[in-house]
Amino acid sequence: DGEKVTLRLLDKASLKSFDELFKRHPDVAQFLAANLAPEIKGGGGLIMLSGPTGSGKTTTLYACVQQIDRRRKHVLTIEDPIEYELRYATQWQVRPGMPGGEFADLIRAAMRHDPDYIIIGEMRDADTVETALKAAESGHTVISTVHADTAVQTFERLRSLIPPERDRSLTFTLAQQVRAILNQRLVKTLCQGCAHRSQAGRVMEPHELAHLGLKDQQDVRLHNPSGCDLCNRTGIGGRTVLLDALMINLGPSRRNGIYETLIRNVNDIIRIDGVVVHSRRDGLIDLVLSGLVDPRAALSYLET
C-alpha cells in the first residue's frame, strides 16, 4: 500500500538561544536564567516544558542546557534518543527493556554522580515522575518535558501519573519544588513582504474583536494566500513560539497555598500571589498587534 518516511533534521547550528526564543518575553528569559544560575549549590527545583508533539519542547530544553555554565556546573542529561551532542555535559541514552535502562533507573543512578542539573527527555510514567520529584527535593535542578495542552493542565497531567496511594505526599513535593511551567505552541507568522494591511473591524465580527480585545480602527495584517517570491508563494514567513507560562516565585514557607490549590482546584493557581502568569491570549494579541499573525488565525489558535 505504499511507503511512508518521517524525517527529523537535527542541525546543531539551528539551536536557539534564550534571546532568540524569548525575545517577546524577556521576563521569562530573566526568570529562567536566574533559576539556571543559582548562587548556591543545592537549590533544587523543577522546571517543566509542555505542549503537543512538534511544538518545540526539545529546542527549548536544549536552550536551557546551553544557558547553564557547563564548565562550572555538572549537567547530566537522560534522553531517548540523544538528539544533540553537547560539550561539557554528560549525556545518557535510555535503553528501554534493558535492566536499569529506563528513565527512572537512570535518574536514580544520576543522583549518585552529584549533578547540579538533571535533564530528563520526557516524563512518561509514574516511576519517572516520582523519581524526578525526589531528585528535585534532594537539591538537584530538574528540567523535563511532558505532553499537556496548557500550563495549568501540566499540573493535572503530572498528578495523573502519580500513584493514588502517594498522591498527597508527591503532590506536596510538586507544590514545593515547581519553579516554572512553560507550555508552548508554534504558530505560523505572516510574510512581511506580502501580507495585506487592513483595519480589524473590516475583517472581524464585533464578538471576535471583543474576544481578542481589539478595536475597529486598529491596523492588522492579513494572510495573503497568493504569497510572493520571499515566502515561496505561501504567505507564511516562519514560525514563532506562543507561550502559556506559570512562574512561581515563592519560598518554601509560602507554598502551602499551591498545595491546597492542586488538591482542591488547580485552575485557581493563577490567582495566588507570587504566581506570574503569561496567558496564550495575551501572547496572541501581542503577535496580532505586531503584524505577525492574522487575527482570524489567532482566534483558531485560542480554540485549540
Side-chain angles (χ1 to χ4, degrees), residues 155-289:
F155 282 111
E156 289 292 289
R157 174 63 177 151
L158 291 173
R159 289 195 64 205
S160 72
L161 294 173
I162 292 174
E165 64 274 13
R166 291 192 290 279
D167 179 52
R168 286 191 170 269
S169 62
L170 291 179
T171 299
F172 179 80
T173 303
L174 175 63
Q176 287 290 314
Q177 297 304 322
V178 67
R179 299 287 183 268
I181 293 179
L182 271 60
N183 181 275
Q184 61 185 60
R185 303 288 180 93
L186 291 179
V187 298
K188 296 177 180 178
T189 56
L190 299 174
C191 172
Q192 300 301 296
C194 64
H196 300 307
R197 290 182 179 273
S198 182
Q199 291 183 341
R202 294 181 179 179
V203 295
M204 303 180 73
E205 299 294 332
H207 70 278
E208 294 175 330
L209 292 172
H211 197 39
L212 285 176
L214 300 177
K215 298 179 180 178
D216 287 352
Q217 306 301 316
Q218 283 185 302
D219 290 329
V220 294
R221 283 177 174 263
L222 307 177
H223 178 231
N224 178 6
S226 300
C228 64
D229 291 337
L230 290 175
C231 59
N232 199 24
R233 303 294 171 182
T234 63
I236 301 300
R239 296 188 298 176
T240 190
V241 173
L242 177 62
L243 282 183
D244 176 24
L246 294 174
M247 296 176 290
I248 303 176
N249 195 16
L250 295 171
S253 61
R254 299 172 58 199
R255 285 179 173 252
N256 191 56
I258 294 176
Y259 167 70
E260 293 176 352
T261 300
L262 293 183
I263 294 294
R264 185 178 63 251
N265 184 359
V266 69
N267 294 307
D268 291 338
I269 197 167
I270 62 175
R271 301 182 181 91
I272 295 178
D273 290 338
V275 176
V276 180
V277 179
H278 278 275
S279 72
R280 189 179 300 167
R281 179 178 178 273
D282 292 340
L284 277 172
I285 292 172
D286 178 48
L287 291 172
V288 168
L289 294 178

Side-chain angles (χ1 to χ4, degrees), residues 95-134:
R95 304 290 183 185
M98 293 180 61
E102 300 289 349
F103 272 108
D105 299 321
L106 295 178
I107 296 170
R108 281 188 281 267
M111 286 190 282
R112 293 192 288 270
H113 288 249
D114 191 31
D116 297 292
Y117 302 86
I118 300 176
I119 315 299
I120 305 169
E122 185 181 348
M123 298 278 199
R124 295 179 179 173
D125 51 48
D127 205 10
T128 303
V129 172
E130 184 175 358
T131 312
L133 287 174
K134 289 179 179 178

